[in-house]
Amino acid sequence: MSTTETKTTELTELLPDELLERFRDRAKGYDERNEFFHEDLAELKVQGYLRMFAAEDDGGLGFGLQQVAAAQRRLATAAPATALAINMHLVWTGVAHLLARRGDDSLHYVLQEAVAGEVFAFGNSEAGNDSVLFDSNTVAQPLGDGSYSFTGTKIFTSLSPAWTRLGIFGKDASGEEPVLVHAFISRDAPGYTIKDDWNTLGMRASQSSTTVLDGVVAPAERVFRKLPVGPNADPLIFSIFACFETLLAAVYTGLGERALQIGVATVKKRTSKKYDGKTYAQDPDIRWRIADAALAMDGLYPQLDSLARDVDNLADHGAQWFPKMVGLKVRATETARTVVDLIIRVSGGGTYFAGNELGRLYRDVLAGIFHPSDDESAHSTIANAWLGPVEP
């Protein structure tokens, strides 16, 4: 059996068609009720999905980023909001995995706890902080014993109803040079509030509520990095970007893939009076749009797969690593948005009704605009890599 066939078999065993159909059936209700995907999460846990990055010796599935990205792409064809939220758990377990692959076992406990059933979430995003990981509006206050208290507001905290471990960071300005402090807090820790404010246009099942940190304490053993303010080459930063951008791209690639599947099935069924009752699959204009969508998607699959494989294989892209990662994310989100729009145009007015799957995908795909790195930041990163920084 070839490597490709082996990976395909593993994915269909992990996410069998009947499981995806259940997810797809539930996605409509989650969206309509603005409700978290509790049933999906329970089934994913049973499948071992949350321990994909953990080594087999630790009780995990032993997957690398390439396999996890393929799994997320497949999951997103059924339930994009479920896949998007699960991404945040997979980012942290992926970071732990990538660090270990590079000789740093400082987050091995993340993988062990994921195997034990803990759910990790990503609590780094802040309103108005366009420096993303290179600065923070949250105050990290040292408490003298190695622990820190954190005060600030985190937005888009996916998995809000379910996380048991939240990764956060803030700025400690108490010394001569400010440092950015990265840590995990537990759900049972006092000093934070999750707002009931998730009522969005799309990706509603992700329940990415605002989290207000009001002096919540991360114990010393859960403070895992202190980094200078501004860009730096620490492996943690690389690992976060590699997992975050690649897995986001996987979700939106799966969303676009599903839109194309729906479009093909729809135009094969819709009939045209103009063409004597033949299906729209015979209309040259419709065929052009379907071909356009397929052409766009065909460029994404190998890019996603090859970049994830390069991360797994410790490839050396030097200064081009970050341009490649942000470029993949922007291309995936923008291509998926274009493809969904094309498919809606060939699928008829029924897509405009509430409850239609394409209508939901149309709303869900818009979220891709807001994830880091955004279009402006990505272009700046790529321009700097090719042209150097803007002269003062």
Side-chain angles (χ1 to χ4, degrees):
M1 184 179 290
S2 70
T3 302
T4 300
E5 289 172 333
T6 301
K7 290 176 182 175
T8 301
T9 301
E10 288 176 343
L11 285 181
T12 54
E13 290 176 352
L14 182 64
L15 295 171
D17 290 342
E18 59 271 20
L19 180 64
L20 293 183
E21 282 304 317
R22 289 198 296 274
F23 288 175
R24 190 171 290 121
D25 289 343
R26 287 194 290 251
K28 176 181 177 181
Y30 291 148
D31 178 74
E32 289 176 347
R33 298 187 298 271
N34 191 25
E35 182 178 277
F36 186 67
F37 57 95
H38 288 288
E39 295 90 346
D40 287 2
L41 180 59
E43 293 205 71
L44 288 170
K45 285 182 176 180
V46 170
Q47 294 296 106
Y49 203 83
L50 274 64
R51 48 189 174 88
M52 283 191 289
F53 274 118
E56 292 183 43
D57 288 347
D58 285 336
L61 302 188
F63 282 12
L65 185 59
Q66 185 183 16
Q67 289 171 291
V68 173
Q72 281 294 85
R73 172 184 154 190
R74 181 168 168 82
L75 177 58
T77 63
T82 293
L84 180 64
I86 289 294
N87 253 9
M88 301 306 117
H89 172 88
L90 296 174
V91 165
W92 279 125
T93 55
V95 166
H97 167 77
L98 293 190
L99 287 176
R101 287 273 293 140
R102 287 154 178 79
D104 180 350
D105 287 323
S106 60
L107 291 183
H108 185 224
Y109 64 85
V110 169
L111 296 168
Q112 293 175 316
E113 293 186 3
V115 169
E118 304 293 350
V119 178
F120 287 81
F122 203 77
N124 283 1
S125 297
E126 300 168 338
N129 179 16
D130 56 1
S131 294
V132 195
L133 289 176
F134 300 141
D135 203 351
S136 177
N137 299 326
T138 296
V139 175
Q141 182 67 37
L143 300 181
D145 59 355
S147 63
Y148 274 82
S149 69
F150 292 82
T151 302
T153 300
K154 303 296 185 178
I155 59 173
F156 295 110
T157 314
S158 300
L159 295 169
S160 284
W163 64 260
T164 62
R165 302 284 189 266
L166 182 65
I168 58 175
F169 85 128
K171 183 161 62 179
D172 173 10
S174 63
E176 291 185 7
E177 296 289 338
V179 292
L180 298 173
V181 182
H182 294 260
F184 289 107
I185 61 170
S186 297
R187 196 170 188 95
D188 58 4
Y192 72 91
T193 303
I194 298 174
K195 290 187 175 182
D196 184 16
D197 63 352
W198 189 249
N199 187 14
T200 52
L201 185 66
M203 293 295 188
R204 288 160 65 82
S206 70
Q207 291 299 298
S208 307
S209 303
T210 299
T211 305
V212 180
L213 310 177
D214 188 16
V216 64
V217 174
E221 64 271 16
R222 292 306 170 108
V223 176
F224 60 89
R225 270 303 195 280
K226 296 179 186 179
L227 299 174
V229 174
N232 66 83
D234 191 278
L236 175 70
I237 302 301
F238 171 85
S239 298
I240 290 176
F241 267 94
C243 292
F244 198 92
E245 303 294 74
T246 303
L247 295 177
L248 272 177
V251 168
Y252 286 91
T253 299
L255 192 159
E257 182 178 5
R258 175 58 181 169
L260 179 58
Q261 291 169 354
I262 295 172
V264 170
T266 299
V267 301
K268 285 182 175 180
K269 289 188 298 184
R270 291 182 69 209
T271 56
S272 170
K273 189 177 182 64
K274 183 171 68 173
Y275 288 99
D276 298 322
K278 293 180 180 179
T279 68
Y280 275 91
Q282 306 306 310
D283 183 323
D285 294 326
I286 299 297
R287 293 174 68 87
W288 178 278
R289 291 189 188 276
I290 291 290
D292 224 15
L295 278 168
M297 290 304 304
D298 278 349
L300 273 184
Y301 306 135
Q303 184 182 10
L304 172 64
D305 192 59
S306 64
L307 189 64
R309 183 177 62 247
D310 281 357
V311 173
D312 285 336
N313 291 341
L314 309 182
D316 182 10
H317 289 300
Q320 288 295 325
W321 259 123
F322 286 93
K324 285 178 179 293
M325 291 187 289
V326 300
L328 171 64
K329 180 268 172 181
V330 169
R331 182 170 290 112
T333 53
E334 291 297 319
T335 297
R337 193 159 62 95
T338 297
V339 167
V340 172
D341 184 76
L342 282 169
I343 297 303
I344 282 179
R345 291 173 185 271
V346 304
S347 298
T351 60
Y352 198 61
F353 282 80
N356 182 278
E357 185 179 1
L358 267 179
R360 173 164 47 80
L361 295 183
Y362 188 72
R363 290 182 288 107
D364 283 349
V365 78
L366 292 178
I369 297 170
F370 303 105
H371 305 306
S373 294
D374 63 21
D375 202 19
E376 294 82 5
S377 175
H379 278 78
S380 176
T381 297
I382 295 168
N384 286 341
W386 285 95
L387 301 173
V390 175
E391 296 177 1

